[in-house]
Amino acid sequence: MTVPAAERGTTTVVPRAVRRIAEQAAAEALPDGGAVTRGSASVRGASARVTVGIRLPYPIRADEAAERIRERARTRTAALTGLSVPHADIRIDALSVIPLPPTREPSDDAPSGADEAVRRAEHTIRSGGPGGRIRAQRRIPAALTAAVLATSCALLLVDVVAVRLGGTPAAWRTWLVEWASTHGPADTKVRVGGVLAALTGAWLLGCALIPGYRRGLTMAAPAPRLWATLDRSAAARVVQDRTTAVAGVVRVRVSVRRRRVKVLAEVGYGGPEQVRDEVVRVVGAALPGLGLARAPALRVRIRLPRDRHGPRPSIEEPTQSAAAATAAPAPAPAPAEQREA
């Protein structure tokens, strides 16, 4: 007996299963050093749409790799789920630098120029890049300066063209010429304007010469001609996670500067000195893992929890313990005559 097709039931592939199939299919087409970071899928009827985020090794042709991964994810997901996958999105979330191969020992027949190039590359890696700190783009100062200069040049050009065509000079230019002819260097307004112009020029000169970009910490470059920075907030989160994992620490506040890391840990239980030593050990071991070009100095402070019935104790000035207070001699009672009086 044959059961009609309408009575056999239905098969539904949930978006979660489609997402996992698409992630696995994309992972099959990844090059060495790549990984799948995240994925998503949506199903509407017999059609599905998938999105897969990946991390690729650097250097690589990102467009060719993404096209190969997209085609693999689309065809493989459609074949395994039975759904139509007309569209698949591949998002490159990160690039991971391929580690350099180990340097070969210099041989006797190797030219001296090659040895010098190897030494320069190793020095570049140790020093954190040939250019030191990464320079800020200075978008806001550059945009403001360009806007002011462009507006001034446009107004002056329009006025000159109008005068050349037989018109009269603009009122603002006539007023400016008359005002400049009646005010000399001894005038207060001229001096104030000169000071403002000098400060503006010093500000622009500082923007051009100072590297800036103080939000990032320069990292040791894993390859020549490669610059990398680590955001201070990310470094602070790493240090905070390591400090929170120490037994006895209940609250942590971390401040990361370019050359110093400050950790303020509140101890809920345990000996403060032992907890401080453990925090110094854990954070000191975590700082080299950040990959910074210059290891920052570490400063750790321990704070005890606040007492509701008294001042907050500190490590530098320890409070009197309960045992010492119990061992202290009690005052002698007053004589009976004095009590009756």
Side-chain angles (χ1 to χ4, degrees):
M1 179 178 179
T2 303
V3 180
E7 300 179 3
R8 297 175 187 173
T10 58
T11 301
T12 303
V13 183
V14 297
R16 181 180 179 183
V18 177
R19 173 180 62 84
R20 292 194 174 184
I21 292 174
E23 291 177 353
Q24 181 62 30
E28 295 174 356
L30 284 172
D32 295 337
V36 176
T37 57
R38 58 190 177 87
S40 62
S42 60
V43 179
R44 293 184 178 180
S47 178
R49 179 171 180 173
V50 296
T51 301
V52 180
I54 59 175
R55 182 177 68 248
L56 294 179
Y58 179 87
I60 194 175
R61 285 293 302 269
D63 53 349
E64 296 179 358
E67 180 63 27
R68 183 173 61 255
I69 296 171
R70 179 189 300 109
E71 184 63 22
R72 177 68 176 181
R74 188 184 65 82
T75 56
R76 189 68 170 166
T77 303
L80 293 178
T81 60
L83 301 174
S84 174
V85 186
H87 193 77
D89 292 333
I90 301 297
R91 297 182 180 179
I92 303 176
D93 296 332
L95 296 176
S96 58
V97 180
I98 300 177
L100 291 178
T103 57
R104 296 179 301 177
E105 295 294 335
S107 57
D108 297 336
D109 55 349
S112 59
D115 298 340
E116 182 66 21
V118 170
R119 286 195 297 269
R120 289 182 180 179
E122 292 177 352
H123 174 72
T124 299
I125 295 174
R126 289 193 300 267
S127 61
R133 290 176 56 189
I134 297 179
R135 303 187 66 88
Q137 297 183 0
R138 308 290 191 186
R139 295 179 178 178
I140 296 179
L144 292 177
T145 305
V148 171
L149 294 179
T151 303
S152 303
C153 293
L155 293 176
L156 183 60
L157 180 61
V158 169
D159 186 57
V160 170
V161 171
V163 171
R164 288 292 182 179
L165 295 179
T168 57
W172 65 268
R173 190 154 68 99
T174 304
W175 173 85
L176 184 61
V177 172
E178 293 179 354
W179 186 89
S181 61
T182 56
H183 293 75
D187 195 350
T188 304
K189 296 181 179 179
V190 176
R191 293 182 178 180
V192 172
V195 171
L196 293 178
L199 293 178
T200 304
W203 175 62
L204 293 176
L205 187 62
C207 291
L209 298 180
I210 299 177
Y213 199 70
R214 304 187 63 85
R215 293 177 299 176
L217 302 174
T218 304
M219 302 181 66
R225 302 184 61 83
L226 179 65
W227 290 265
T229 59
L230 177 65
D231 191 76
R232 292 187 182 184
S233 59
R237 284 195 295 268
V238 172
V239 176
Q240 185 175 6
D241 292 342
R242 298 296 188 273
T243 309
T244 308
V246 176
V249 177
V250 296
R251 189 175 293 105
V252 182
R253 188 171 62 185
V254 180
S255 175
V256 177
R257 297 291 183 265
R258 195 161 66 94
R259 297 186 178 181
R260 180 173 297 180
V261 175
K262 297 181 180 179
V263 179
L264 177 60
E266 182 174 337
V267 178
Y269 58 92
E273 294 296 339
Q274 290 77 5
V275 173
R276 183 184 183 280
D277 295 341
E278 184 66 15
V279 170
V280 171
R281 186 188 66 82
V282 172
V283 178
L287 289 180
L290 298 178
L292 302 179
R294 176 183 297 177
L298 177 61
R299 181 180 179 184
V300 178
R301 294 179 56 192
I302 298 299
R303 185 175 63 183
L304 301 180
R306 185 185 300 272
D307 189 2
R308 297 181 179 180
H309 305 287
R312 181 174 57 194
S314 61
I315 299 179
E316 293 77 12
E317 298 179 2
T319 56
Q320 188 179 11
S321 61
T326 305
E337 294 79 7
Q338 295 182 4
R339 289 199 299 269
E340 293 176 358

